[in-house]
Each structure stands twice: as C-alpha cells, then as structure tokens.
C-alpha cells in the first residue's frame, strides 16, 4: 500500500537517524516545503571534525577476551533519557537540519523521529514551520506549550 506523505517522510527520517553518532539516542529530521519537497535533513552527533561518541576501540585482555570501549564518549553518554542534557555534546538532528537548510522561510513540515526538545522547538518556531510530525514520544511540556502558542500543529505518526 502506498504510504501517506507523513509515513513516507518519517521513514526517510528513520533512515537518516542511522547516521547518528550519539550513544544515547539516534534521531533523524527531514525539513519539507509545502510542495512536499525535501529542503534539508539532519541527524544528531558531535560537531564536524570531532571524534564521534560511538567510535569503538578494542582492548585486548590477557585472557584474549576483547572488550570494546568508546574512548571519545561525551560526559552525558551514559545519562538517562532527558537528563544531563548539558553534558551531551551532540548537536540535535533538528539543529543540523536547520543549519543545512538554505531557506528557513520555506519550511512547512518538520519530520522528526523523536518529539523535539524545547531548544529545538524554539529554533523551529522561529521558521515558517506549520507542522511537526514525529514518531517517538520524548515529552517536554514546555515544548508542547510553545508549539501551541505558535500555532504549530503537532502530529504523531504511528507506523503499522
């Protein structure tokens, strides 16, 4: 069966999220105009030219067992979801997509694999975005309140 545009772009965002280098969460974002043309994409990870948090390095033990470690993991890499955000060095997928977008006044819909945090909602609300479509809940009451205040429609897509 042919997917709706919302299902289609969420699937694209999920594929984009696989490029994420964050140990805590893989998130993807697709920014689309009113004609359903992709303007830009983004995934979460550290700034360009920094070593990635998910880089793995083997440590060989005397018993010949191999243990994999993440020598470049940021301080927030082991924190629970929604906690210690200031310790995480990842640039969010929405932020990266906005940095790549040549015209933020053309954004109609932001497709995010995870509900945007308050910081990303602030950035998105300063564009022409009218809709935010997401799949996974990452509830931030302040984020929802700001979206309502800015008349941004919020839609959760539940994949079949």
């Amino acid at each position: 069966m042919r997917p709706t545009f919302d299902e289609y772009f969420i699937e694209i965002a999920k594929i984009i999220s696989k490029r994420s280098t964050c140990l805590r969460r893989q998130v993807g974002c697709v920014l689309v105009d009113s004609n359903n043309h992709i303007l830009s994409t983004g995934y979460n990870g550290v700034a360009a030219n920094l070593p990635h948090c998910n880089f793995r390095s083997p440590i060989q033990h005397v018993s010949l067992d191999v243990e994999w470690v993440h020598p470049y993991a940021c301080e927030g890499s082991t924190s629970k979801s929604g906690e210690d955000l200031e310790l995480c060095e990842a640039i969010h997928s929405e932020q990266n997509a906005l940095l790549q977008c040549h015209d933020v006044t053309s954004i109609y819909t932001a497709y995010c694999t995870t509900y945007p945090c308050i910081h990303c909602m602030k950035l998105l609300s300063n564009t022409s975005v009218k809709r935010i479509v997401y799949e996974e809940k990452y509830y931030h009451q302040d984020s929802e309140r700001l979206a309502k205040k800015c008349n941004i429609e919020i839609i959760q897509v539940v994949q079949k």
Side-chain angles (χ1 to χ4, degrees), residues 19 21 43-53 89-92 95-96 99-100:
R19 291 283 302 154
T21 63
Y43 53 87
N44 59 326
V46 296
N49 301 316
L50 288 180
H52 300 296
C53 287
E89 295 177 10
I91 298 165
H92 291 188
Q95 295 166 345
N96 273 319
L99 286 168
Q100 300 300 319

Side-chain angles (χ1 to χ4, degrees), residues 108 121 125 128-132 143-154:
Y108 186 77
M121 188 63 76
S125 69
S128 62
V129 72
K130 302 289 183 241
R131 304 170 69 236
I132 295 175
S143 185
E144 186 176 312
R145 185 171 35 251
L146 179 60
K148 285 180 182 176
K149 193 174 188 178
C150 294
N151 294 316
I152 299 171
E153 182 181 13
I154 303 292

Side-chain angles (χ1 to χ4, degrees), residues 103-115:
D103 182 9
V104 296
T105 64
S106 294
I107 301 168
Y108 186 77
T109 304
Y111 291 93
C112 308
T113 57
T114 304
Y115 190 88

